[in-house]
Coordinates of all heavy atoms in Angstrom, one line a residue:
Q1 N -24.2 -101.6 -3.0 CA -24.5 -100.5 -4.0 C -23.6 -99.3 -3.7 O -23.5 -98.9 -2.5 CB -26.0 -100.1 -3.8 CG -26.3 -99.0 -4.7 CD -27.8 -98.5 -4.5 OE1 -28.5 -99.2 -3.7 NE2 -28.2 -97.4 -5.2
K2 N -23.0 -98.8 -4.7 CA -22.2 -97.6 -4.6 C -23.2 -96.4 -4.4 O -24.1 -96.3 -5.1 CB -21.3 -97.4 -5.8 CG -20.2 -98.4 -5.9 CD -19.3 -98.1 -7.1 CE -18.2 -99.1 -7.2 NZ -17.3 -98.8 -8.3
Y3 N -22.8 -95.5 -3.6 CA -23.7 -94.4 -3.3 C -22.9 -93.1 -3.1 O -21.9 -93.1 -2.3 CB -24.6 -94.6 -2.1 CG -25.5 -93.5 -1.7 CD1 -26.7 -93.4 -2.4 CD2 -25.1 -92.6 -0.7 CE1 -27.5 -92.3 -2.1 CE2 -26.0 -91.5 -0.4 CZ -27.2 -91.4 -1.1 OH -28.0 -90.4 -0.8
D4 N -23.2 -92.0 -3.8 CA -22.5 -90.8 -3.6 C -23.4 -89.8 -2.9 O -24.6 -89.6 -3.3 CB -22.1 -90.2 -5.0 CG -21.1 -91.0 -5.7 OD1 -20.2 -91.6 -5.0 OD2 -21.1 -91.1 -6.9
M5 N -22.9 -89.2 -1.9 CA -23.7 -88.2 -1.2 C -24.0 -87.0 -2.0 O -23.1 -86.6 -2.8 CB -23.0 -87.8 0.1 CG -22.8 -88.9 1.1 SD -24.3 -89.4 1.8 CE -24.7 -87.9 2.8
V6 N -25.2 -86.5 -2.0 CA -25.6 -85.3 -2.8 C -24.9 -84.1 -2.1 O -25.1 -83.8 -0.9 CB -27.1 -85.1 -2.8 CG1 -27.5 -83.8 -3.5 CG2 -27.8 -86.3 -3.5
D7 N -24.2 -83.4 -2.9 CA -23.4 -82.3 -2.4 C -23.5 -81.1 -3.4 O -23.1 -81.2 -4.5 CB -21.9 -82.7 -2.2 CG -21.1 -81.5 -1.6 OD1 -21.8 -80.5 -1.2 OD2 -19.9 -81.6 -1.5
D8 N -24.2 -80.1 -3.0 CA -24.4 -78.9 -3.8 C -23.2 -78.1 -4.0 O -23.1 -77.2 -4.8 CB -25.6 -78.0 -3.3 CG -26.9 -78.7 -3.4 OD1 -27.0 -79.5 -4.3 OD2 -27.8 -78.4 -2.6
G9 N -22.1 -78.4 -3.2 CA -20.9 -77.6 -3.3 C -20.9 -76.4 -2.4 O -22.0 -75.9 -2.0
E10 N -19.8 -75.9 -2.0 CA -19.7 -74.8 -1.1 C -20.0 -73.5 -1.9 O -19.5 -73.4 -3.0 CB -18.3 -74.7 -0.5 CG -18.2 -73.6 0.5 CD -16.8 -73.6 1.1 OE1 -16.0 -74.5 0.8 OE2 -16.5 -72.7 2.0
K11 N -20.8 -72.6 -1.3 CA -21.1 -71.4 -2.0 C -20.3 -70.2 -1.4 O -19.8 -70.3 -0.3 CB -22.6 -71.1 -1.8 CG -23.5 -72.1 -2.5 CD -23.4 -72.1 -4.0 CE -24.5 -73.0 -4.6 NZ -24.3 -73.1 -6.1
S12 N -20.2 -69.2 -2.3 CA -19.5 -68.0 -1.8 C -20.2 -67.3 -0.7 O -21.5 -67.2 -0.8 CB -19.3 -67.1 -3.0 OG -18.7 -65.8 -2.6
P13 N -19.5 -66.7 0.2 CA -20.2 -65.9 1.3 C -20.7 -64.6 0.7 O -21.5 -63.9 1.5 CB -19.2 -65.8 2.4 CG -17.9 -65.8 1.6 CD -18.1 -66.8 0.5
K14 N -20.3 -64.2 -0.4 CA -20.7 -62.9 -1.0 C -22.2 -62.9 -1.4 O -22.7 -63.9 -1.9 CB -19.8 -62.5 -2.2 CG -18.3 -62.4 -1.8 CD -18.1 -61.3 -0.8 CE -16.6 -61.2 -0.5 NZ -16.3 -60.1 0.4
D15 N -22.8 -61.8 -1.2 CA -24.2 -61.7 -1.5 C -24.4 -61.4 -3.0 O -23.9 -60.5 -3.6 CB -24.8 -60.5 -0.7 CG -26.4 -60.5 -0.8 OD1 -26.9 -60.7 -1.9 OD2 -27.0 -60.2 0.2
S16 N -25.1 -62.3 -3.7 CA -25.3 -62.2 -5.1 C -26.1 -61.0 -5.5 O -25.9 -60.5 -6.6 CB -25.9 -63.5 -5.7 OG -27.2 -63.8 -5.1
C17 N -27.0 -60.6 -4.7 CA -27.9 -59.5 -5.0 C -27.0 -58.2 -5.0 O -27.2 -57.4 -5.9 CB -29.0 -59.3 -4.0 SG -30.3 -60.6 -4.2
V18 N -26.1 -58.1 -4.0 CA -25.2 -56.9 -3.9 C -24.3 -56.9 -5.2 O -24.1 -55.9 -5.8 CB -24.4 -57.0 -2.6 CG1 -23.4 -55.8 -2.7 CG2 -25.3 -56.8 -1.4
A19 N -23.8 -58.1 -5.5 CA -22.9 -58.2 -6.7 C -23.6 -57.9 -7.9 O -23.1 -57.2 -8.8 CB -22.3 -59.6 -6.7
G20 N -24.9 -58.3 -8.0 CA -25.6 -58.0 -9.2 C -25.9 -56.5 -9.3 O -25.9 -56.0 -10.4
L21 N -26.3 -55.9 -8.2 CA -26.6 -54.4 -8.3 C -25.3 -53.6 -8.6 O -25.3 -52.7 -9.4 CB -27.1 -54.0 -6.9 CG -28.6 -54.5 -6.6 CD1 -29.0 -54.1 -5.2 CD2 -29.6 -53.9 -7.7
L22 N -24.2 -54.0 -8.1 CA -22.9 -53.4 -8.4 C -22.6 -53.5 -9.8 O -22.1 -52.6 -10.5 CB -21.8 -53.9 -7.5 CG -21.9 -53.5 -6.0 CD1 -20.8 -54.2 -5.2 CD2 -21.8 -52.0 -5.8
S23 N -22.8 -54.7 -10.4 CA -22.5 -55.0 -11.8 C -23.5 -54.2 -12.7 O -23.1 -53.7 -13.7 CB -22.7 -56.5 -12.0 OG -22.6 -56.8 -13.4
L24 N -24.7 -54.1 -12.2 CA -25.7 -53.4 -13.0 C -25.4 -51.9 -13.2 O -25.5 -51.4 -14.3 CB -27.1 -53.6 -12.4 CG -28.3 -52.9 -13.1 CD1 -28.5 -53.4 -14.5 CD2 -29.6 -53.1 -12.3
F25 N -25.0 -51.3 -12.1 CA -24.8 -49.8 -12.1 C -23.4 -49.4 -12.2 O -23.1 -48.3 -12.7 CB -25.4 -49.3 -10.8 CG -26.9 -49.3 -10.6 CD1 -27.4 -50.3 -9.7 CD2 -27.7 -48.5 -11.4 CE1 -28.8 -50.4 -9.6 CE2 -29.1 -48.6 -11.3 CZ -29.6 -49.5 -10.4
F26 N -22.4 -50.2 -11.8 CA -21.0 -49.8 -11.9 C -20.2 -50.9 -12.6 O -18.9 -50.9 -12.4 CB -20.5 -49.5 -10.5 CG -21.3 -48.5 -9.7 CD1 -22.1 -49.0 -8.7 CD2 -21.3 -47.2 -10.0 CE1 -22.9 -48.1 -7.9 CE2 -22.0 -46.3 -9.2 CZ -22.8 -46.8 -8.2
G27 N -20.8 -51.8 -13.3 CA -20.1 -53.0 -13.8 C -18.9 -52.7 -14.7 O -17.8 -53.3 -14.4
P28 N -18.9 -51.8 -15.6 CA -17.7 -51.5 -16.5 C -16.5 -51.0 -15.6 O -15.4 -51.1 -16.1 CB -18.2 -50.4 -17.4 CG -19.7 -50.7 -17.5 CD -20.1 -51.1 -16.2
L29 N -16.8 -50.5 -14.4 CA -15.7 -50.1 -13.6 C -15.1 -51.2 -12.7 O -14.2 -51.0 -12.0 CB -16.1 -49.0 -12.7 CG -16.6 -47.7 -13.4 CD1 -17.1 -46.7 -12.3 CD2 -15.5 -47.1 -14.2
G30 N -15.8 -52.4 -12.8 CA -15.3 -53.5 -12.1 C -15.6 -53.5 -10.6 O -14.9 -54.3 -9.8
I31 N -16.5 -52.7 -10.1 CA -16.8 -52.6 -8.7 C -17.2 -53.9 -8.1 O -16.9 -54.3 -7.0 CB -17.8 -51.5 -8.4 CG1 -17.4 -50.2 -9.0 CG2 -18.1 -51.4 -6.9 CD1 -16.0 -49.7 -8.5
H32 N -18.1 -54.7 -8.9 CA -18.5 -56.0 -8.4 C -17.4 -57.0 -8.3 O -17.4 -57.9 -7.4 CB -19.6 -56.5 -9.3 CG -19.2 -56.8 -10.7 ND1 -18.9 -55.9 -11.6 CD2 -19.0 -58.0 -11.3 CE1 -18.5 -56.4 -12.7 NE2 -18.6 -57.7 -12.6
D33 N -16.4 -56.9 -9.1 CA -15.2 -57.7 -9.0 C -14.4 -57.5 -7.7 O -14.0 -58.4 -7.0 CB -14.3 -57.5 -10.2 CG -14.9 -58.1 -11.5 OD1 -15.4 -59.2 -11.4 OD2 -14.8 -57.4 -12.5
F34 N -14.3 -56.2 -7.4 CA -13.6 -55.8 -6.2 C -14.3 -56.3 -5.0 O -13.8 -56.9 -4.0 CB -13.4 -54.3 -6.0 CG -12.4 -53.7 -7.0 CD1 -12.8 -52.9 -8.0 CD2 -11.0 -54.1 -6.9 CE1 -11.9 -52.4 -8.9 CE2 -10.1 -53.5 -7.7 CZ -10.5 -52.7 -8.8
Y35 N -15.7 -56.2 -5.0 CA -16.5 -56.7 -3.9 C -16.4 -58.2 -3.7 O -16.4 -58.7 -2.6 CB -18.0 -56.4 -4.2 CG -19.0 -57.1 -3.3 CD1 -19.1 -56.6 -1.9 CD2 -19.8 -58.1 -3.7 CE1 -20.0 -57.3 -1.1 CE2 -20.6 -58.8 -2.9 CZ -20.8 -58.3 -1.6 OH -21.7 -59.0 -0.7
C36 N -16.2 -59.0 -4.8 CA -16.1 -60.4 -4.7 C -14.7 -60.9 -4.6 O -14.5 -62.1 -4.7 CB -16.8 -61.0 -6.0 SG -18.6 -60.8 -6.0
G37 N -13.8 -60.0 -4.5 CA -12.4 -60.5 -4.2 C -11.6 -60.7 -5.5 O -10.6 -61.4 -5.5
K38 N -12.1 -60.3 -6.7 CA -11.5 -60.5 -7.9 C -10.8 -59.2 -8.4 O -11.2 -58.6 -9.4 CB -12.4 -61.0 -9.0 CG -13.1 -62.4 -8.6 CD -14.2 -62.8 -9.5 CE -13.6 -63.3 -10.8 NZ -14.7 -63.9 -11.7
S39 N -9.9 -58.8 -7.6 CA -9.2 -57.4 -7.8 C -8.6 -57.3 -9.2 O -8.6 -56.3 -9.8 CB -8.2 -57.1 -6.7 OG -8.9 -57.1 -5.4
K40 N -8.0 -58.4 -9.6 CA -7.3 -58.4 -10.9 C -8.2 -58.0 -12.0 O -8.0 -57.1 -12.9 CB -6.6 -59.7 -11.2 CG -5.8 -59.7 -12.5 CD -5.2 -61.1 -12.7 CE -4.4 -61.2 -14.0 NZ -3.8 -62.5 -14.2
N41 N -9.4 -58.7 -12.1 CA -10.4 -58.4 -13.1 C -10.9 -56.9 -12.9 O -11.1 -56.3 -13.9 CB -11.6 -59.3 -13.0 CG -11.2 -60.7 -13.5 OD1 -10.1 -61.0 -13.8 ND2 -12.2 -61.6 -13.5
G42 N -11.1 -56.5 -11.7 CA -11.6 -55.2 -11.4 C -10.6 -54.1 -11.9 O -11.1 -53.1 -12.6

């Protein structure tokens, strides 16, 4: 029988709550993008 190991995938080390709060209060300025390493978008 073929069997594939269950793998949820690697997650980002960045805190989603911090990213969410930065997006909520400073989102249009791209602060959450800078925090998550997406400087171009920011």
Side-chain angles (χ1 to χ4, degrees):
Q1 177 183 356
K2 293 185 179 180
Y3 179 81
D4 293 326
M5 293 294 290
V6 176
D7 184 8
D8 291 333
E10 185 179 357
K11 296 295 184 181
S12 171
K14 299 297 183 180
D15 191 319
S16 58
C17 288
V18 173
L21 290 173
L22 291 175
S23 174
L24 179 62
F25 293 106
F26 309 104
L29 299 177
I31 305 301
H32 63 288
D33 289 317
F34 290 114
Y35 168 74
C36 293
K38 302 174 73 173
S39 300
K40 182 179 179 181
N41 287 6

